[in-house]
Amino acid sequence: MSTYLIGDVHGCIDELKALLAQVDFNPQNDCLWLTGDLVARGPSSLEVLRFVSGLGDSVRMVLGNHDLHLLAVFAGISFNKPKDRITPLLEAEDADELINWLRRQPVLQVDEELKLVMAHAGITPQWDLETAQMCAREVEAVLRSDTYPLFLDAMYGDMPNNWHPELTGLARLRFSTNAFTRMRYCFPNGQLDMICKDTPENAPKPLKPWFNIPGPLQEAGYSIAFGHWASLEGKGAPEGIYALDTGCCWGGDMTMLRWEDKTYFTEPSHRRPEKEKAVVQKAE
């Protein structure tokens, strides 16, 4: 049995299947972790949801911001943007089934045996594991409930941007959702900055990437895997932090990490003008 972690898929079904073929992925024996954002921007969001949902219990995934936006569009709360290329999914005969499957997926994965945590954007340094799991359960519960459109309608917005245990209601859910699915930078005290999208070398002071502010999870020896931040190109994170989104939908690679031996596999975007040969390299 092997454990494979793959960065944001974004509707790139051909690259996903080719990457899994590189390692002869077997859903009967192997486990696949996905960092979220299965849909949008790439050409085949419908096919990705059908494929991933069909893998059953061999998949451990988390929801990303684009996945949540799809739920909001399907619920009539937000607009279907042409650049997201999700119209075939919205109009599919099995759309209801796929959307209901998607909204029942978690926003946080924790494996105590592997000492591995995964969230789409990461884990705010203001949270210990117990707090992160509690906040994840709250978001997941409302998404799985019959009133989930009310939450989706209220999830958009950048405030509050500072964690406090006394946060309640929709404000608390919005903070948790932003931390799990949208976060990139924090102030030194861990307060979220929801504006800056620059690469770390160009970010204004005193902002730091969330993973460069020591938090309880790192101090407790957990590794954290995340996606969301394609402009990092998988580089620059400290030891024990794994940035796996390398921008396949933008013409970059789709990246996979085999956890047991920390070997990376990549599949270049099939929409590049000149395709590059897939690369296998050993993690440093």
Side-chain angles (χ1 to χ4, degrees):
M1 175 180 173
S2 295
T3 305
Y4 296 100
L5 286 67
I6 295 182
D8 300 17
V9 176
H10 277 299
C12 298
I13 187 65
D14 293 338
E15 293 87 342
L16 175 60
K17 289 184 175 181
L19 194 54
L20 293 174
Q22 286 189 42
V23 295
D24 295 322
F25 175 78
N26 182 350
Q28 302 301 317
N29 299 313
D30 299 326
C31 185
L32 176 63
W33 289 49
L34 298 171
T35 65
D37 276 0
L38 298 186
V39 303
R41 305 303 170 89
S44 305
S45 293
L46 172 60
E47 289 76 9
V48 168
L49 286 194
R50 286 173 173 169
F51 176 72
V52 174
S53 63
L55 292 175
D57 293 339
S58 64
V59 172
R60 295 182 68 170
M61 63 164 286
V62 293
L63 293 171
N65 54 305
H66 283 276
D67 303 317
L68 293 176
H69 184 67
L70 168 64
L71 298 180
V73 172
F74 191 79
I77 291 162
S78 192
F79 296 103
N80 177 13
K81 303 172 184 177
K83 65 181 180 181
D84 282 338
R85 307 170 76 178
I86 57 174
T87 298
L89 169 53
L90 297 171
E91 295 178 349
E93 61 181 15
D94 54 347
D96 281 331
E97 177 184 350
L98 293 171
I99 291 295
N100 282 326
W101 171 83
L102 188 66
R103 71 182 178 93
R104 286 172 170 80
Q105 301 309 304
V107 296
L108 178 70
Q109 291 282 359
V110 179
D111 191 306
E112 288 289 355
E113 182 177 346
L114 300 179
K115 295 288 281 188
L116 175 62
V117 175
M118 184 173 70
H120 176 64
I123 304 294
T124 169
Q126 293 184 323
W127 283 345
D128 57 20
L129 182 59
E130 182 180 1
T131 303
Q133 289 177 306
M134 174 182 63
C135 292
R137 287 193 297 266
E138 293 168 354
V139 173
E140 292 159 5
V142 72
L143 279 172
R144 294 168 183 171
S145 73
D146 292 338
T147 60
Y148 78 97
L150 297 176
F151 160 69
L152 295 173
D153 192 34
M155 74 174 176
Y156 293 99
D158 297 339
M159 301 298 289
N161 65 348
N162 197 28
W163 169 251
H164 195 285
E166 294 180 3
L167 279 175
T168 60
L170 291 173
R172 182 181 175 102
L173 291 170
R174 189 183 304 115
F175 176 89
S176 298
T177 302
N178 284 340
F180 284 127
T181 70
R182 293 182 58 214
M183 171 185 66
R184 289 185 179 89
Y185 288 98
C186 294
F187 291 92
N189 66 354
Q191 179 179 329
L192 306 185
D193 172 84
M194 303 305 301
I195 298 175
C196 182
K197 296 184 179 181
D198 292 336
T199 54
E201 60 269 21
N202 296 320
K205 295 182 180 180
L207 296 181
K208 295 183 178 181
W210 63 267
F211 48 74
N212 282 339
I213 301 174
L217 265 72
Q218 292 160 270
E219 293 169 357
Y222 287 89
S223 296
I224 304 174
F226 71 104
H228 184 57
W229 201 341
S231 62
L232 289 178
E233 298 180 339
K235 304 171 184 176
E239 183 179 357
I241 305 293
Y242 298 88
L244 296 175
D245 181 13
T246 47
C248 183
C249 69
W250 308 112
D253 294 334
M254 188 174 292
T255 293
M256 176 171 65
L257 171 65
R258 184 166 59 208
W259 185 252
E260 285 73 21
D261 60 4
K262 304 303 185 292
T263 297
Y264 284 95
F265 303 81
T266 63
E267 179 70 22
S269 169
H270 292 191
R271 289 168 303 286
R272 285 182 185 172
E274 297 181 3
K275 297 179 182 178
E276 298 176 2
K277 187 177 181 181
V279 175
V280 179
Q281 62 183 33
K282 193 76 175 178
E284 296 181 359

